[in-house]
Amino acid sequence: QVQLVESGGGLVQAGGSLRLSCAASSRTFISYAMGWFRQPPGKEREFVAAISWSGSRIHYADSVKGRFTISRDNAKNTVYLQMNSLKPEDTAVYYCAANDIMTVAEPYDYWGQGTQVTVSS
């Protein structure tokens, strides 16, 4: 069982930056691929970024490529999402998730509770 807790969300102006963190409870964190997903208001949840257990493989949604960076620190059981050049359309609840294999689509095995990111124009 893996418990995930996101933090770092908030309100930011367009063009600004935020860094989301996701702390995992399990010592087996290193064995999981990690992903970030988001759910904009009134829309379905969508893939944002994923990283393999070692960090050697990374994949981004086209909508965030070049602006967002996913990374992980296995010593701290934490995955990050650095978000730069934020746009109003990035407004969403952001979720981190853990999975046995790296994939760009659901389902993932474990999910955090989500953190709200709001980008004002």
Side-chain angles (χ1 to χ4, degrees):
Q1 190 78 8
V2 180
Q3 293 184 329
L4 304 171
V5 179
E6 302 99 334
S7 61
L11 173 64
V12 64
Q13 290 187 333
S17 298
L18 282 175
R19 188 175 82 154
L20 305 183
S21 299
C22 174
S25 62
S26 175
R27 294 181 180 179
T28 59
F29 171 79
I30 193 173
S31 64
Y32 289 96
M34 298 298 296
W36 284 98
F37 291 77
R38 67 185 182 186
Q39 186 166 19
K43 297 183 179 180
E44 293 189 350
R45 190 159 57 190
E46 62 186 23
F47 168 77
V48 175
I51 187 168
S52 63
W53 69 270
S54 66
S56 62
R57 292 184 297 128
I58 288 174
H59 190 83
Y60 296 101
D62 288 343
S63 59
V64 306
K65 202 171 293 184
R67 299 187 298 121
F68 289 13
T69 302
I70 188 171
S71 62
R72 66 189 294 162
D73 185 339
N74 289 336
K76 296 182 178 181
N77 287 0
T78 302
V79 62
Y80 304 97
L81 186 68
Q82 177 67 44
M83 306 185 294
N84 298 328
S85 302
L86 283 162
K87 305 175 181 179
E89 52 263 44
D90 294 318
T91 295
V93 177
Y94 283 72
Y95 299 88
C96 73
N99 203 44
D100 285 346
I101 60 172
M102 179 179 168
T103 177
V104 301
E106 298 187 41
Y108 265 56
D109 295 329
Y110 303 101
W111 292 85
Q113 83 288 351
T115 186
Q116 177 70 48
V117 171
T118 303
V119 184
S120 64
S121 57

